[in-house]
Amino acid sequence: MTTATLSDTIGADMEATIARTTWRYWLALLFAAGMTALGIWAWVQILQDGFGLTGLNTPVMWGSFITNFVFFIGVSHAGTLVSAILYFTKSPIRAGVGRSAEAMTVIAIMTAGLFPIIHLGRAWLGFWLMPYPNQRQLWPNFHSPLIWDVFAISSYVTISALFLYMGMLPDLSSLSRRVRGVRKYVYRVLSLGFSESDGEWALFERAYPIFALVVIPLAVSVHSVVSWDFAMALTPGWHSTIFAPYFVAGAIFSGVAMAIILLSLLRRGYKLQAYIQEKHFDALAKLMLSMSLIMTFVYCTEIFMAFYHGESVEIDLYIWRMTGPSAPLFWSVIFCNSVVPLACFWRKIRFDLRALIAISVLVTIGMWLERYMIVVTSLSHGADPATWGSYFPSFHEILITVGACGWFALWFMVFVKFFPCISISETKQAQVAFSTVPSAGTEDSSEEPHDA
Amino acid sequence: MPEPSMILFDDPHHAEDVVRRLRECGVDDVHVTSPAAYPVTEETKPPFGWRLFGLLALTGGLTGLATAIALVVHGSETVPLIVGGKAVLAWPAFSVVMFELTMLGAGVANFLGVIVLSAVARRGLPKRARMAAAEGHIAVLIPAGEHSAEQREEIRRVLEDEHGVAA
């Protein structure tokens, strides 16, 4: 296949994902929009009537909102981080998974960023978090991990969005010559005049690694900072030095699971079997399995350390988590995050997309429950038995959680409708460099699977 | 200024061989347009080196760091809160904000560098070369500059061998 034919085929396939809109897409979009509307309705109710509509009360003042915040920050983690690592390792699978994963990152941070604002209660005062000279003569407290979050997340969302945008410039330029009407104009403006000259490619090849080099430590720092929101407090179950790597590993784990779900939907919905191949899922499944093993190790270490250093409140908390009223939560987390992913040791499972989706869904649920367990059980069973209490999300909090999932899905669907979900230029490059991407339109030609 | 001669290729390796052949006989001012970052784009003389991008990122990073230091020092001294017995200027606590803004500055400077320098790099590129890349071809452009007799002979031979289009 010549480069001209290849360009034409890849370009046409990506153009089709943008131009072709099936009734299934509209139905899914409507469903996601409906979920989002429910969440917005619940939030408006809380803004009108106050936090009495939530289940939050002393001692559990952080509940489902903070759980959602940590969960979506975690989901955001795998995208840009994995994409940058795949870039450095010159992995052939990056062409297929990188773009969607990067988009997932940006959308997940956008979703996560809503929750601190919702959790404020008086959301209209959210700008008080921003450090700027103001008439109140007040500055945020830079000693507080909560203000570190503001800086970490703002930096991460900016750099992730620029990383995604920079990678899309050649594709936007290519699409501007393929489509017509308003889109042609919009793509041309967004491509910033990129014209595929050797000078521009050389610039691209020099700037991109530096960008990737900035993204990796930033991604690691973001979830570390989120973990310090907890670890800096003297609350039993939170005050642990292992929290930063624990959260980073968990974030990659949940992010990879979400990437598998989204990529499988894209592959099926847009018939992208030629680009998102079984070997991509195999690689992601292996990564998910590795992360699961790390998570299991961390769970064991946490319990071991609690019992080893012999502090009674810590021991009591962990025994209560495992055997008390929250035991179903604890064992569900272990089942979803430590037991279920072990199935990925079998190559048949890694190459069976339905099984992989089922595992990924369970991991996603398990990781949400784990965040919930960390946030809620530590607060409800603190050091002083006189302050123990219980918490369950209210109807409004559940609706906001549903709304957040809808919001995430809605923006992802909007993204794939307007932008190529697979990098056109990188797919062309991979075709020449690795000769592993099959000719577009053909069925998956992955090599025979082999054991992990 | 006369238009450069152009040769179209469909095989990136073939284009790479031709560019190398021209460079070996001293024709250094060859340019390429290509639908992807094929290795042939690295065979031509890059307009800007690695060092420039390193310097850009470093400058951006240092600007971010300076902004962070100014922000945390000014903010903390304006509202001198003592938290957990820590000093008003508690550098370990400030290190997170300093790190984040350093990385933000480096990333943003790098991005702006690409946008501005790309505009410089594509100056004078003939429209037909852009169109060739848009159609999926690799276009090798040989400028009609001052070449020695030997180089002119080699360019003529290459154009003949590869069915190139002279300006």
Side-chain angles (χ1 to χ4, degrees), chain A residues 49 117 119 165 185 206 208 211 350 371 403 409 444:
Chain A
D49 298 339
I117 307 291
H119 186 75
Y165 181 47
Y185 178 74
R206 278 155 185 71
Y208 211 70
F211 223 120
R350 293 198 307 273
R371 304 322 196 183
D444 195 340

Side-chain angles (χ1 to χ4, degrees), chain A residues 3 177 192 198 200-201 207 221, chain B residues 10 32 34 44 100 122 134 136:
Chain A
T3 51
R177 288 183 294 255
L192 302 175
D198 52 353
E200 286 167 288
W201 284 121
S221 80
Chain B
D10 273 342
V32 170
S34 161
T44 58
E100 300 297 342
R122 64 174 164 263

Side-chain angles (χ1 to χ4, degrees), chain A residues 149-401:
Chain A
D149 256 351
V150 174
F151 281 91
I153 292 169
S154 314
S155 303
Y156 189 47
V157 74
T158 309
I159 296 298
S160 295
L162 291 179
F163 190 62
L164 170 68
Y165 181 47
M166 198 162 128
M168 281 202 303
L169 286 177
D171 294 356
L172 292 170
S173 164
S174 162
L175 276 174
S176 73
R177 288 183 294 255
R178 296 193 69 92
V179 296
R180 290 179 181 177
V182 182
R183 282 190 176 189
K184 185 182 186 70
Y185 178 74
V186 172
Y187 288 139
R188 194 187 295 167
V189 171
L190 287 177
S191 69
L192 302 175
F194 193 88
S195 55
E196 295 157 331
S197 65
D198 52 353
E200 286 167 288
W201 284 121
L203 282 170
F204 207 73
E205 292 293 300
R206 278 155 185 71
Y208 211 70
I210 295 177
F211 223 120
L213 208 61
V214 168
V215 160
I216 293 172
L218 202 55
V220 173
S221 80
V222 169
H223 224 64
S224 302
V225 169
V226 170
S227 81
W228 293 336
D229 290 346
F230 301 94
M232 293 292 170
L234 292 172
T235 308
W238 285 3
H239 192 61
S240 165
T241 51
I242 205 174
F243 252 44
Y246 174 19
F247 270 51
V248 172
I252 297 172
F253 186 39
S254 60
V256 170
M258 187 62 87
I260 290 174
I261 296 169
L262 294 178
L263 285 169
S264 58
L265 291 175
L266 278 180
R267 174 182 148 112
R268 191 181 160 83
Y270 286 114
K271 297 187 170 46
L272 295 175
Q273 285 84 347
Y275 304 101
I276 307 172
Q277 300 165 10
E278 286 181 350
K279 68 179 177 195
H280 294 138
F281 289 103
D282 176 46
L284 289 172
K286 284 175 184 167
L287 183 58
M288 186 165 71
L289 175 63
S290 315
M291 287 298 139
S292 167
L293 296 175
I294 292 173
M295 291 304 287
T296 307
F297 170 69
V298 174
Y299 294 149
C300 295
T301 307
E302 230 195 342
I303 295 167
F304 172 77
M305 289 307 289
F307 281 89
Y308 186 77
H309 68 52
E311 194 163 336
S312 60
V313 287
E314 285 275 345
I315 294 172
D316 185 50
L317 173 73
Y318 281 95
I319 291 175
W320 181 75
R321 265 188 193 169
M322 288 186 282
T323 59
S326 59
L329 187 65
F330 178 84
W331 293 110
S332 301
V333 169
I334 297 296
F335 176 73
C336 292
N337 297 347
S338 298
V339 179
V340 172
L342 295 179
C344 292
F345 268 116
W346 281 271
R347 66 179 182 187
K348 273 189 180 173
I349 298 286
R350 293 198 307 273
F351 281 82
D352 181 347
L353 208 50
R354 282 182 191 165
L356 214 48
I357 292 171
I359 293 168
S360 302
V361 168
L362 282 173
V363 167
T364 306
I365 294 170
M367 283 309 295
W368 191 90
L369 293 175
E370 187 222 67
R371 304 322 196 183
Y372 182 85
M373 182 177 76
I374 291 170
V375 174
V376 173
T377 60
S378 299
L379 286 174
S380 60
H381 204 83
D384 180 5
T387 62
W388 287 353
S390 60
Y391 163 84
F392 195 79
S394 69
F395 176 64
H396 286 78
E397 284 175 281
I398 292 169
L399 281 189
I400 288 177
T401 304

Side-chain angles (χ1 to χ4, degrees), chain B residues 3-21:
Chain B
E3 281 272 295
S5 306
M6 187 168 87
I7 315 172
L8 297 183
F9 294 92
D10 273 342
D11 179 1
H13 301 301
H14 192 180
E16 201 180 337
D17 291 341
V18 168
V19 171
R20 204 172 289 149
R21 189 173 144 193

Side-chain angles (χ1 to χ4, degrees), chain B:
Chain B
M1 200 174 154
E3 281 272 295
S5 306
M6 187 168 87
I7 315 172
L8 297 183
F9 294 92
D10 273 342
D11 179 1
H13 301 301
H14 192 180
E16 201 180 337
D17 291 341
V18 168
V19 171
R20 204 172 289 149
R21 189 173 144 193
L22 286 165
R23 288 195 71 178
E24 274 167 10
C25 77
V27 184
D28 274 340
D29 45 0
V30 177
H31 285 288
V32 170
T33 59
S34 161
Y38 296 129
V40 62
T41 58
E42 285 289 321
E43 281 296 320
T44 58
K45 204 173 166 185
F48 308 101
W50 281 96
R51 183 175 280 189
L52 179 66
F53 276 97
L55 282 173
L56 270 175
L58 186 67
T59 310
L62 289 176
T63 309
L65 178 65
T67 309
I69 292 172
L71 200 63
V72 292
V73 169
H74 176 70
S76 301
E77 286 191 335
T78 309
V79 188
L81 292 172
I82 305 288
V83 181
K86 281 194 279 291
V88 171
L89 296 183
W91 295 102
F94 295 163
S95 62
V96 176
V97 174
M98 284 156 58
F99 172 80
E100 300 297 342
L101 290 193
T102 304
M103 288 311 197
L104 180 66
V108 170
N110 193 42
F111 178 77
L112 293 177
V114 172
I115 302 307
V116 173
L117 296 176
S118 289
V120 177
R122 64 174 164 263
R123 268 187 320 178
L125 191 70
K127 196 177 175 187
R128 58 194 178 123
R130 293 184 193 201
M131 291 313 295
E135 285 162 10
H137 304 293
I138 298 154
V140 174
L141 299 159
I142 310 165
E146 285 183 12
H147 297 121
S148 64
E150 192 189 332
Q151 287 170 346
R152 275 202 302 273
E153 179 55 26
E154 182 63 18
I155 291 169
R156 193 190 58 76
R157 232 180 293 149
V158 165
L159 286 171
E160 259 180 28
D161 291 352
E162 310 296 341
H163 309 292
V165 186

